[in-house]
Amino acid sequence: MNPTSAPSAILPPAILGMLGGGQLGAMFVDAAHALGYRVHVFSPMDGEPACLNADFKTIAPYTDLAAVGQFAQSVAAVSYEFENVPEAAAAACAAHAPVRPGRRVLQVAQHRVLEKTFFSENGLACAPWARIAAAADAGKALAACGLPAVLKTAHGGYDGKGQIVIKDGGAAAIEAAWLRLGGVECVLEAFVDFTQEVSVVAARGVSGKTVCYGPILNHHRHHILDESVYPAPSVTPAMQEEALAMASRVMAALQAEGVLCLELFQTRGGGFLCNEMAPRPHNSGHLTMDGFGVSQFRQQVLTLCGRDPQDPDFRSPVAMRNLLGDLWFAGGSLREPNWQAARAMPGVTVHLYGKTQARHGRKMGHLNAVAETAKQAAELAGHAYRALLT
Ligand code: AMP
């Protein structure tokens, strides 16, 4: 497995820049180290997961553009681990080093109106939707989407935050929900009666070479990803081809250089509707760390460096369970989960992010379980999860 490199590729031991100090950044650092690179992390807060294993760190707010500029001058290329990087910070980096994925990808992923427009203009099916920027838009939006529908802020929402499901009540209910979200720019989307939610993680190199993982089955709990499984059940080879083609089309249309996750609804007819995209490795793609020879983070490093992504090298059906801070409080009082019990199970790998304070809903780590079938992997992940509570 020898990744190809364009003549302009950034090679080790170059220093790579990562905007953001969270767990996605930390797993990027590990993957970069494995390939011989060093990493400079820019994080508004010290002590975050990526600050712990970075070679260099800058602790400053994203609004400190002088610090951002200095950071960018010290690295060969910059990526980010969350999509809400302020535009000015991305631009300050781009003045000194390539930022991948680039500006257009960030703009589209940051704004649901641009994102839906992008899907619609590129023949990528999504649920009927409408923009709401004033109370007077509610009637038109109702006509476009009907009810039930989901109202979402155009900017800044994640893990179900900034969203309201409207079941009935016509335009007046839509207007009231819009006011509850602060009267900011929103999109209304028809409620999709999906059979399952899946995601495709894609990596595209500067050369255009694209590889995909998925579709991965995702289950959410309280709007936060709880479990992911690959291969997803109820997906025929033809459907898989369709989902991967949709992700590849997104990558090509955006000329994206890097890793991006496309979240999809699978409909009763078996087709897919685009929900949203994240221009970075994704929580659902954490299962690539153990089910594949090449993880989504390794692809992020390669593509950031102008190198082609590698064949994902599928090894085994795999299931991932997120480990939220809630686990630490499961017995009613704060206690450490039983790591030994889970780690003793063959096929189970526990990944912890080094966060010292457990809080409800906080992503502290994840575990992956590999087995002969996806069903067995999901069962094993469930056993391992429950073992943590013993
Ligand atoms: P999002 O932040 O857009 O990914 O939405 C969070 C979750 O809300 C999704 O993973 C779905 O479970 C649910 N959801 C969002 N949009 C819709 C929709 N149009 N129809 C049905 N469920 C939705």
Side-chain angles (χ1 to χ4, degrees):
M1 247 187 333
N2 201 7
T4 50
S5 304
S8 59
I10 297 160
L11 297 174
I15 302 172
L16 309 177
M18 175 50 59
L19 287 172
Q23 63 269 12
L24 298 181
M27 290 183 269
F28 169 87
V29 174
D30 287 341
H33 284 166
L35 282 161
Y37 293 95
R38 293 167 293 163
V39 183
H40 187 161
V41 166
F42 189 105
S43 170
M45 267 213 300
D46 205 357
E48 295 283 289
C51 301
L52 304 177
N53 57 350
D55 302 273
F56 310 95
K57 59 184 177 181
T58 297
I59 310 299
Y62 296 114
T63 47
D64 183 347
L65 296 182
V68 173
Q70 261 182 0
F71 155 79
Q73 281 176 54
S74 77
V75 301
V78 176
S79 196
Y80 40 86
E81 56 121 40
F82 71 118
E83 52 275 30
N84 290 320
V85 177
E87 166 126 41
C93 288
H96 302 290
V99 176
R100 295 179 179 138
R103 191 159 168 238
R104 163 121 175 93
V105 181
L106 256 184
Q107 280 174 338
V108 170
Q110 279 183 354
H111 204 282
R112 288 191 196 272
V113 174
L114 296 182
E115 192 175 52
K116 302 276 179 209
T117 305
F118 167 80
F119 288 144
S120 304
E121 286 179 355
N122 286 280
L124 292 151
C126 58
W129 67 278
R131 174 175 180 263
I132 302 188
D137 295 333
K140 254 193 306 181
L142 175 66
C145 306
L147 290 180
V150 189
L151 186 70
K152 305 179 179 180
T153 55
H155 192 82
Y158 66 96
D159 285 345
K161 294 190 175 69
Q163 297 193 11
I164 298 179
V165 176
I166 307 159
K167 295 199 171 117
D168 47 37
I174 296 172
E175 190 183 327
W178 177 70
L179 288 172
R180 265 172 59 207
L181 288 181
V184 295
E185 187 179 7
C186 286
V187 295
L188 186 72
E189 267 176 51
F191 194 85
V192 180
D193 180 24
F194 54 77
T195 52
Q196 56 184 19
E197 290 188 80
V198 299
S199 53
V200 177
V201 174
R204 182 175 177 276
V206 175
S207 70
K209 183 181 172 188
T210 304
V211 301
C212 295
Y213 303 83
I216 299 163
L217 171 70
N218 296 320
H219 287 129
H220 297 84
R221 237 171 139 198
H222 307 304
H223 293 289
I224 300 176
L225 186 67
D226 179 38
E227 179 190 39
S228 294
V229 183
Y230 180 82
S234 315
V235 174
T236 63
M239 284 151 65
Q240 177 179 32
E241 204 175 305
E242 182 194 340
L244 300 195
M246 288 170 85
S248 295
R249 193 180 315 168
V250 168
M251 300 305 275
L254 286 172
Q255 296 278 293
E257 294 165 349
V259 172
L260 183 146
C261 177
L262 180 64
E263 295 178 34
L264 300 162
F265 298 127
Q266 191 171 327
T267 62
R268 303 216 167 261
F272 298 100
L273 296 176
C274 293
N275 175 23
E276 62 177 4
M277 62 174 97
R280 52 168 171 77
H282 191 256
N283 197 160
S284 62
H286 291 358
L287 52 68
T288 63
M289 295 168 81
D290 294 290
F292 292 78
V294 179
S295 76
Q296 59 172 352
F297 299 103
R298 188 176 176 96
Q299 308 284 24
Q300 186 185 24
V301 175
L302 292 170
T303 52
L304 175 61
C305 292
R307 297 166 66 174
D308 275 347
Q310 290 179 279
D311 176 74
D313 185 18
F314 173 58
R315 300 229 167 131
S316 169
V318 56
M320 186 233 40
R321 290 292 296 264
N322 257 345
L323 307 178
L324 301 184
D326 307 55
L327 259 178
W328 275 248
F329 298 99
S333 60
L334 184 69
R335 74 181 259 287
E336 198 66 19
N338 188 348
W339 303 121
Q340 269 182 338
R343 287 198 167 113
M345 296 181 168
V348 174
T349 309
V350 176
H351 300 265
L352 292 174
Y353 307 148
K355 297 182 184 177
T356 49
Q357 265 209 318
R359 285 197 298 272
H360 288 288
R362 189 172 198 209
K363 292 175 181 172
M364 305 293 287
H366 66 272
L367 65 81
N368 285 336
V370 295
E372 262 176 48
T373 66
K375 189 165 176 277
Q376 287 167 355
E379 281 167 5
L380 179 58
H383 289 317
Y385 185 89
R386 285 186 292 279
L388 295 175
L389 300 169
T390 56

